[in-house]
């Protein structure tokens, strides 16, 4: 067989040894001699060789330049590592109130204790490596594969992506780079510097030394720098004693210490364990709703530890399920909730960040410590008075209009107190003093109603618009339909915004919300300063105005502060200035968002909320809501008595109060006026009478407080027609110019814009005239039945509710004069397929002309047969006078029933002898002339019995 190197069959037929023995001829080894090349080919070959040489030189030059750049960066490392183990850059940061009174000192050295690796629990080291840098002991200080993946993610996302930083790089960022180098706009330059310096650091130090640096430098939140401080702050132990559960939790904190801060999720000082179900190691594992972020992060750490073989799955499950008890966060400080609120603001600030506490800053805040202590005491006093009614906590925010400055922030009545529930079936603590309730979301009850009416005004409603406080059912109709009721269970009929808002009536607010649109109202609330309520209109529905959406006391007070600021929104402001360790001062100013709400509309709402007469039907005159100075105020109580609010303002101060229990436990029906209302009243009056507080409040006004609300010059007061009922005594109202133009004095039937619950615009009822005088009319009808009809739901008797009691006279049908009467007929809104409405209320009712049928002969005959007459009211007539009156009507069959004291004891002395007391048939009944009429006549007094004659006994 001839050798052919291209013959695969040949090569497969020989063994390797045979191939070695069978040497091919020399010509095959050398190959055949190539043919001579042309001159052009030789020129191209030389050109290619020259280009290759040039490319090599360029590459070498690039490598040399890169090496030079690398060497320069590496040289910058020299001398910077000497201070890493000393941490001598710590400087105490101090926080003061607005007058320079010390609130707290952030002791950097007191929150960092350096330890060696042998003083750290192995599980903490393993947990840190697993979650932060699983190739730590193998990489050169840089994870190039991770960087490539991060680059690809960034390319796909179109922006820089996080990740791929090794432990070494993170340490470089924290301890070596300057604040300027860490600036967000230098991310790519910083990454390059990190890479070069991380590799250089890895050459100068071994892995354990780098890890030791890292664990002593990293920030774990709550002012804990380094693992020893973190173990002490969170668990009152040493790093070497950390359990797997504790270690896996702490290892997850450095990534985002604010987000994963376990202190925010404690229940009586304990972070509850969670059960990890089957499949928990999968990337798409879904945790139960409500699982706290620090527990989710802990599970992520445990997942990595299992994957790296550091722990078994059984050990990881047990660690996740363990309840972790935390050490008390008791610290000697003033206004603790406010201090930690400011701390969080600075930690989240790009310029200051988590290291602010070590930079020797002097932070001057907006807080007035004396005012803070007064507010704290007023809240504590009132809650202690109500403890027997199972209410144990309150939170208060005091803000300044036209600046947004926070003057006081009381997150609980006692920062150092915890009270567990004593109610059977309840869990948790009714008082968790360290929880700042001012930044926790709670249901606001009716406290959102002013913003509902502002939203409705923006959509076309005016103070003259008639709103119906009557039973109304919303879909889905049936057992699950929405049927809101008022606080006192009564209905009040037609009324207007002033009395509907002042008395916090529910149904008018719901109908105003439906008119305005839920989406539009949420948008207005966001404009006013509410940051929450992000779930969309469909989530909250029409119950939004009654408190279906949760807000924080800080946000709600901010929104009311927008009203106090005449519609200009001022975000909460907590810091006045910061002086750094070099004496450089950074000042902070208010950040106004002008006229986020029409100032004219705001003035109308403020006028309503400060009108003590308007709220008299429900609250009475001179309640705790009325102060010694003009003030606008609104209350709110959740339907199940869990949250009670009062938020109010003057032109120069806004105070928001929440009262309830930390564990959301039901109180013993403590409503807003009893709880938060008294606290609000007492705080406001103290602010009024204390000269020092007055001086602080007057600062934005050149020392002169604007004591009263000033109406904008363009507001117009116009007459309105009265409506029936105690809520409608007002004869005029305030109107903005655009309301007059939109409603139209010249075109009183112009259509109002309306919108459904999802914000879709529609056409609503034709608008009433600006004064509302066309809302009802008189109608002459024939009365067919009793004017009193029994009302459902145990309401009072309601006259005139049933259209079947009347008919409208028509030509050709004779109606006796005695059957004709005049009734008030309302111009009711047109039927809405999304509502079932009953136009009835306490003491009254309404029917429209369209509901009353035309009279027929049969209708009239059924009530007044032909030839019948109407029985007159003969009460108090003399017996003979009554007979003459009946005779004139053709009635001659009369029977007289004499009634003595024993028969009518209650009214006997109210009539003279022989006076008619009652008749049968009753007055008003239609009778035929041949009917026998019974006259009940008061019998004469028989006088005293004759001597010796016994007094008769009446059986």
């Amino acid at each position: 067989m001839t050798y052919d190197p291209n013959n695969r069959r040949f090569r497969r037929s020989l063994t390797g040894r045979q191939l070695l023995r069978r040497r091919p001829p020399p010509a095959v080894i050398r190959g055949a001699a190539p043919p001579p090349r042309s001159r052009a080919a030789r020129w191209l070959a030389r050109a290619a060789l020259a280009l290759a040489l040039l490319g090599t030189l360029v590459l070498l030059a690039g490598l040399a330049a890169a090496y030079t750049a690398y060497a320069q960066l590496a040289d910058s490392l020299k001398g910077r590592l000497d201070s890493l183990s000393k941490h001598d850059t710590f400087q105490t940061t101090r926080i003061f109130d607005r007058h320079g009174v010390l609130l707290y000192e952030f002791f950097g050295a007191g929150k960092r204790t350096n330890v060696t690796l042998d003083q750290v629990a192995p599980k903490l080291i393993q947990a840190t490596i697993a979650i932060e840098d699983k190739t730590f002991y193998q990489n050169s200080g840089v994870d190039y594969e991770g960087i490539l993946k991060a680059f690809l993610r960034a390319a796909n996302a179109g922006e820089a992506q996080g990740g791929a930083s090794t432990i070494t790089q993170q340490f470089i960022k924290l301890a070596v780079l300057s604040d300027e180098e860490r600036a967000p706009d230098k991310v790519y330059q910083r990454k390059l510097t990190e890479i070069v310096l991380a590799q250089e650091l890895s050459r100068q130090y071994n892995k354990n030394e780098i890890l030791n640096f890292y664990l002593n430098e990293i920030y774990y939140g709550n002012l804990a720098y380094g693992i020893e401080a973190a173990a002490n702050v969170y668990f009152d132990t040493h790093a070497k004693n950390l359990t797997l559960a504790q270690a896996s939790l702490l290892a997850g904190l450095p990534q985002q210490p604010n987000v994963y801060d376990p202190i925010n999720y404690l229940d009586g000082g304990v972070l509850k364990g969670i059960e990890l179900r089957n499949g928990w190691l999968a990337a798409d594992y879904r945790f139960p709703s409500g699982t706290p972020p620090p527990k989710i992060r802990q599970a992520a750490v445990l997942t990595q530890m299992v994957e790296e073989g550091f722990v078994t799955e059984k050990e990881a499950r047990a660690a996740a399920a363990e309840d972790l008890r935390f050490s008390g966060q008791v610290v000697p400080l003033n206004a603790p909730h406010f201090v930690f609120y400011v701390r969080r603001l600075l930690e989240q600030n790009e310029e200051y960040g988590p290291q602010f506490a070590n930079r020797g800053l002097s932070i001057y805040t907006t807080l007035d410590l004396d005012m803070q202590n007064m507010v704290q005491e007023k809240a504590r006093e009132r809650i202690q008075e109500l403890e027997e009614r199972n209410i144990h906590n309150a939170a208060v925010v005091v803000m300044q209009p036209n600046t947004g400055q926070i003057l006081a922030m009381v997150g609980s009545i006692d920062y150092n107190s915890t009270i567990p529930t004593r109610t059977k079936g309840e869990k948790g603590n009714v008082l968790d003093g360290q929880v700042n309730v001012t930044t926790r979301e709670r249901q606001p009850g009716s406290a959102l109603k002013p913003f509902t009416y502002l939203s409705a005004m923006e959509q076309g409603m005016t103070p003259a618009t008639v709103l119906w406080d009557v039973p109304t059912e919303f879909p889905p109709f049936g057992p699950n339909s929405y049927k809101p009721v008022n606080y006192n269970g009564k209905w009040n009929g037609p009324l207007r915004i002033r009395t509907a808002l002042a008395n916090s009536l529910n149904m008018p607010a719901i109908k105003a919300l439906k008119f305005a649109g839920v989406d539009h109202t949420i948008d207005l609330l966001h404009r006013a300063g509410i940051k929450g309520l992000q779930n969309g209109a469909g989530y909250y529905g029409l119950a939004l105005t009654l408190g279906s959406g949760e807000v924080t006391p800080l946000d709600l007070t901010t929104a009311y502060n927008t009203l106090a600021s005449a519609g200009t929104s001022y975000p909460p402001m907590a810091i006045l200035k910061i002086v750094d360790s070099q004496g450089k001062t950074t000042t902070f100013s208010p950040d106004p968002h002008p006229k986020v709400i029409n100032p004219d509309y705001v003035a109308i709402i403020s006028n309503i909320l400060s009108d003590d007469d308007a709220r008299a039907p429900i609250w009475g005159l001179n309640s705790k809501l009325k102060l010694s100075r003009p003030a606008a105020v609104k209350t709110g109580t959740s339907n199940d008595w869990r949250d009670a609010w009062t938020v109010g303002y003057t032109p120069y101060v806004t105070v928001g109060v929440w009262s309830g229990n930390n564990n959301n436990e039901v109180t013993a029906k403590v409503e807003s006026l009893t709880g938060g209302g008294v606290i609000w009243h007492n705080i406001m009056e103290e602010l009024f009478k204390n000269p020092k507080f007055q001086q602080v409040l007057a600062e934005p006004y050149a020392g002169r407080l604007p004591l009263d609300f000033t109406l904008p010059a363009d507001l117009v007061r116009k007459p309105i027609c009265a409506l029936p009922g105690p809520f409608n005594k007002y004869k005029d109202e305030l109107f903005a110019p655009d309301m007059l133009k939109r409603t139209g004095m010249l075109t009183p039937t112009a259509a109002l814009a309306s919108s459904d619950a999802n914000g879709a615009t529609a056409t609503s009822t034709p608008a009433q005239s600006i004064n509302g005088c066309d809302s009802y009319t008189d109608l002459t009808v024939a009365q067919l039945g009793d004017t009193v009809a029994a009302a459902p739901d145990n309401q009072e008797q309601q006259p005139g509710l049933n259209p079947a009691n009347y008919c409208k006279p028509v030509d050709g049908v004779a109606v006796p004069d005695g059957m004709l009467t005049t009734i008030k007929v309302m111009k009711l809104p047109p039927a809405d397929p999304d509502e079932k409405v009953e136009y009835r209320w306490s003491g009254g009712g309404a029917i429209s002309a369209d509901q009353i049928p035309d009279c027929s002969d049969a209708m009239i005959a059924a009530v007044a047969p032909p030839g019948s007459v109407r029985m007159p009211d003969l009460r108090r007539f003399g017996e003979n006078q009554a007979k003459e009156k009946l005779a004139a009507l053709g009635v001659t069959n009369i029977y007289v029933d004499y009634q003595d004291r024993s028969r009518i004891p209650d009214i006997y002395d109210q009539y003279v002898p022989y006076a008619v007391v009652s008749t049968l048939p009753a007055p008003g009944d239609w009778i035929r002339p041949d009917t026998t009429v019974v006259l009940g006549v008061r019998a004469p007094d028989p006088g005293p019995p004759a001597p010796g004659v016994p007094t008769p006994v009446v059986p």
Side-chain angles (χ1 to χ4, degrees):
M1 183 180 292
T2 304
Y3 172 77
D4 182 357
N6 297 318
N7 190 327
R8 295 182 180 179
R9 180 181 176 188
F10 175 81
R11 292 202 304 271
R12 287 197 301 269
S13 66
L14 298 175
T15 67
R17 183 172 296 175
Q18 290 172 322
L19 285 172
L20 290 174
R21 285 200 304 264
R22 297 177 68 90
R23 290 178 55 84
V28 174
I29 297 175
R30 294 192 302 268
R37 290 183 292 178
S38 65
R39 180 177 296 179
R42 289 196 299 273
W43 184 88
L44 288 174
R46 294 191 185 103
L49 181 61
L51 289 174
L53 180 60
L54 179 62
T56 301
L57 292 175
V58 171
L59 177 62
L60 291 174
L63 291 174
Y67 178 78
T68 301
Y70 173 86
Q72 291 175 346
L73 285 173
D75 286 341
S76 70
L77 184 63
K78 294 178 180 178
R80 298 176 74 175
L81 296 180
D82 294 340
S83 63
L84 293 179
S85 60
K86 299 178 183 177
H87 297 289
D88 53 6
T89 58
F90 264 127
Q91 295 187 59
T92 299
T93 287
R94 295 175 174 86
I95 182 169
F96 304 89
D97 85 339
R98 67 190 302 117
H99 306 293
V101 179
L102 182 66
L103 299 178
Y104 188 63
E105 289 183 292
F106 295 98
F107 292 101
K111 291 293 184 181
R112 171 182 280 138
T113 301
N114 288 343
V115 293
T116 57
L117 282 187
D118 60 354
Q119 295 174 303
V120 180
K123 290 302 181 188
L124 185 281
I125 296 174
Q126 294 169 349
T128 300
I129 291 173
I131 195 64
E132 295 292 349
D133 185 2
K134 62 184 179 181
T135 65
F136 173 71
Y137 279 104
Q138 290 78 44
N139 63 50
S140 62
V142 180
D143 180 4
Y144 289 104
E145 181 181 353
I147 291 174
L148 178 60
K149 292 179 180 178
F151 175 79
L152 294 176
R153 288 197 303 270
N156 291 331
E159 59 183 6
Q161 300 287 301
S165 289
T166 63
I167 285 177
T168 310
Q169 287 176 263
Q170 292 180 51
F171 173 70
I172 291 294
K173 176 182 176 182
L174 289 171
V176 179
L177 300 185
S178 65
D179 291 342
E180 182 180 355
E181 290 172 310
R182 290 195 295 263
D185 59 341
K186 297 181 179 180
V187 59
Y188 293 110
Q189 180 180 341
R190 188 198 79 217
K191 282 290 185 183
L192 178 60
T193 304
E194 284 178 13
I195 291 171
V196 175
L197 295 183
Q199 293 188 129
E200 189 65 22
L201 184 67
S202 296
R203 289 191 180 95
Q204 297 189 33
Y205 293 88
N206 64 42
K207 287 295 185 179
N208 284 345
E209 288 173 326
I210 294 173
L211 184 59
N212 196 71
F213 282 144
Y214 175 84
L215 290 176
N216 282 304
E217 180 71 25
I218 199 71
Y219 180 60
Y220 287 88
N222 285 290
L223 304 182
Y225 296 86
I227 188 58
E228 179 70 8
N232 179 261
V233 166
Y234 288 106
F235 300 115
D236 194 21
T237 189
H238 294 287
K240 65 182 179 181
N241 299 326
L242 290 170
T243 66
L244 174 59
Q246 294 169 337
S248 57
L249 183 85
L250 292 182
L253 297 184
Q255 185 188 76
Q256 290 182 294
N258 292 322
V259 175
Y260 301 129
D261 186 354
I263 303 302
N264 290 330
Y265 301 93
L266 301 187
D267 184 357
V270 174
L271 183 65
K272 298 292 186 181
I274 61 172
E275 179 185 358
L276 296 176
R277 303 187 301 270
N278 291 337
W280 70 278
L281 292 170
D284 59 351
Y285 177 75
R286 297 178 66 87
F287 291 86
S289 176
T291 303
K295 294 300 292 185
I296 295 175
R297 179 63 173 168
Q298 181 193 32
V301 174
L302 291 169
T303 298
Q304 293 298 112
M305 293 184 75
V306 171
E307 291 184 355
E308 295 302 314
F310 292 137
V311 296
T312 66
E313 185 174 349
K314 181 180 179 181
E315 290 172 327
R317 284 176 181 265
E322 182 178 331
D323 290 345
L324 290 176
R325 181 166 295 279
F326 286 70
S327 60
Q329 301 294 305
V330 179
V331 288
L333 51 74
N334 292 309
H337 289 121
F338 178 76
V339 166
F340 294 133
Y341 171 76
V342 173
R343 183 193 74 183
R344 179 157 296 188
L345 293 179
L346 292 171
E347 287 177 342
Q348 295 174 346
N349 184 279
E350 289 185 356
E351 181 177 351
Y352 297 99
Q355 301 289 336
F356 85 92
N358 307 318
R359 293 170 55 180
L361 306 175
S362 294
I363 304 164
Y364 294 87
T365 68
T366 60
L367 190 94
D368 184 294
L369 184 58
D370 288 340
M371 189 182 298
Q372 169 83 11
N373 292 336
M374 179 273 291
V375 171
Q376 182 98 35
E377 182 61 19
K378 295 297 182 185
R380 184 190 61 79
E381 285 177 354
R382 183 55 179 165
I383 293 301
Q384 288 182 343
E385 293 171 353
L386 295 172
E387 281 184 333
E388 292 184 357
R389 297 183 62 180
N390 197 38
I391 184 169
H392 301 274
N393 203 8
V396 185
V397 177
V398 180
M399 293 185 74
Q400 191 175 64
N402 303 304
T403 67
Q405 292 183 18
I406 300 173
L407 302 178
M409 173 185 280
V410 174
S412 69
I413 63 169
D414 187 348
Y415 183 80
N416 297 315
S417 180
T418 298
I419 301 176
T421 181
R422 296 185 180 91
T423 304
K424 186 177 180 180
E426 295 287 349
K427 297 180 180 180
N429 299 317
V430 289
L431 172 60
D432 258 330
Q434 293 183 15
V435 174
N436 185 359
V437 182
T438 68
T439 58
R440 292 294 183 92
E441 290 189 335
R442 307 289 298 216
Q443 285 198 346
S446 297
L448 297 184
K449 285 177 181 174
F451 305 95
T452 298
Y453 288 109
L454 284 168
S455 179
M457 287 180 183
E458 289 185 343
Q459 295 293 80
M461 189 173 284
T462 79
T465 302
V466 175
L467 298 164
W468 289 90
D469 186 31
V470 294
T472 306
E473 182 178 351
F474 299 93
F477 300 121
N480 298 320
S481 64
Y482 182 44
K483 296 185 286 188
V485 296
N486 285 321
Y487 166 75
N488 61 4
K490 294 185 178 182
W491 303 107
N492 304 286
L495 36 72
R496 296 185 173 92
I497 291 177
R498 179 172 294 273
T499 46
L501 175 56
N503 292 279
S504 198
L505 301 178
N506 289 341
M507 189 59 71
I510 289 172
K511 293 185 176 180
L513 178 60
K514 183 179 179 182
F515 175 84
V518 178
D519 276 328
H520 183 81
T521 303
I522 291 175
D523 173 70
L524 183 142
L525 287 164
H526 289 162
R527 283 183 269 142
I530 301 290
K531 294 185 180 127
L533 302 178
Q534 299 292 336
N535 292 330
Y539 178 86
Y540 304 108
L542 295 178
L544 173 68
T545 191
L546 306 186
S548 65
E550 296 183 337
V551 299
T552 69
L554 177 59
D555 277 1
L556 189 60
T557 306
T558 301
Y560 273 82
N561 204 52
T562 299
L563 304 185
S565 304
T568 293
S569 175
Y570 289 85
M573 181 178 173
I575 302 173
L576 294 175
K577 65 179 180 179
I578 297 178
V579 182
D580 69 14
S581 58
Q582 306 302 316
K584 178 184 176 183
T585 300
T586 301
T587 58
F588 297 81
S589 302
D591 180 25
H593 304 286
K595 297 183 180 180
V596 296
I597 309 175
N598 188 322
D600 287 340
Y601 299 172
V602 171
I604 293 172
I605 291 297
S606 296
N607 185 264
I608 291 172
L609 295 178
S610 60
D611 187 347
D612 193 54
D613 289 335
R615 55 178 171 258
I618 294 293
W619 303 105
L621 293 172
N622 301 315
S623 70
K624 285 293 185 180
L625 300 180
K626 184 178 181 182
L627 305 179
S628 58
R629 291 182 184 175
V633 61
K634 182 68 186 72
T635 60
T637 307
S638 58
N639 287 338
D640 47 12
W641 310 95
R642 299 178 192 273
D643 304 276
W645 303 68
T646 301
V647 191
Y649 54 93
T650 70
Y652 51 88
V653 66
T654 302
V655 177
V657 182
W658 166 89
S659 59
N661 294 312
N662 277 76
N663 66 345
N664 208 31
E665 185 174 313
V666 176
T667 67
K669 295 188 176 180
V670 178
E671 43 76 33
S672 52
L673 184 58
T674 303
V678 174
I679 297 173
W680 178 83
H681 175 276
N682 295 343
I683 290 172
M684 279 292 205
E685 291 295 347
E686 188 65 29
L687 291 174
F688 294 165
K689 72 181 184 182
N690 189 308
K692 179 181 181 298
F693 298 155
Q694 295 288 285
Q695 184 178 358
V696 172
L697 296 173
E699 288 176 4
Y701 311 101
R704 300 188 62 182
L705 283 176
L707 296 182
D708 205 349
F709 294 100
T710 302
L711 293 175
D714 58 352
L715 282 188
V716 180
R717 190 171 291 278
K718 290 285 186 178
I720 57 173
C721 281
L723 296 172
F727 288 80
N728 297 299
K729 62 182 180 180
Y730 288 86
K731 297 181 180 179
D732 53 39
E733 259 299 352
L734 293 169
F735 296 91
D738 64 313
M739 292 177 177
L740 297 174
K741 181 179 179 181
R742 182 172 58 244
T743 309
M745 295 294 287
L746 300 177
T747 56
T749 58
L752 287 177
S754 179
S755 53
D756 61 22
N758 294 317
T761 301
T763 301
S764 181
T765 310
Q768 294 151 334
S769 63
I770 192 65
N771 57 16
C773 287
D774 60 352
S775 58
Y776 58 88
T777 186
D778 292 336
L779 182 67
T780 299
V781 293
Q783 186 170 324
L784 303 177
D786 194 344
T787 60
V788 178
D793 303 326
N794 297 317
Q795 294 285 336
E796 300 174 13
Q797 293 294 99
Q798 309 294 311
L801 290 181
N802 192 350
N805 288 338
Y806 308 101
C807 67
K808 291 181 288 191
V810 295
D811 293 339
V813 177
V815 179
D817 290 342
M819 290 184 67
L820 295 176
T821 187
T822 300
I823 61 173
K824 292 286 186 183
V825 178
M826 303 297 298
K827 292 188 176 179
L828 302 179
D832 185 335
D834 291 332
E835 295 180 3
K836 289 184 179 179
V837 186
E838 297 178 57
Y839 289 97
R840 59 175 177 82
W841 58 90
S842 299
I847 55 177
S848 66
D850 294 339
Q851 293 175 284
I852 300 174
D854 292 336
C855 294
S856 67
D857 290 330
M859 290 179 182
I860 303 301
V863 177
S868 62
V869 296
R870 196 155 201 172
M871 181 69 187
D873 187 355
L874 300 175
R875 286 172 295 183
R876 300 194 182 279
F877 276 59
E879 176 184 338
N880 292 331
Q881 291 176 312
K883 291 178 179 178
E884 291 173 1
K885 182 75 172 178
L886 290 172
L889 296 175
V891 178
T892 57
N893 297 330
I894 302 172
Y895 173 77
V896 178
D897 177 23
Y898 295 101
Q899 301 175 1
D900 60 16
R901 187 182 300 277
S902 65
R903 302 252 322 261
I904 51 173
D906 294 337
I907 62 173
Y908 183 81
D909 291 327
Q910 298 177 16
Y911 290 83
V912 299
Y914 300 106
V916 176
V917 175
S918 61
T919 64
L920 190 68
D925 288 350
W926 291 90
I927 61 174
R928 296 178 60 83
D930 57 357
T931 302
T932 297
V933 175
V934 178
L935 297 178
V937 176
R938 189 259 207 199
D941 192 335
V949 177
T951 302
V953 178
V954 179

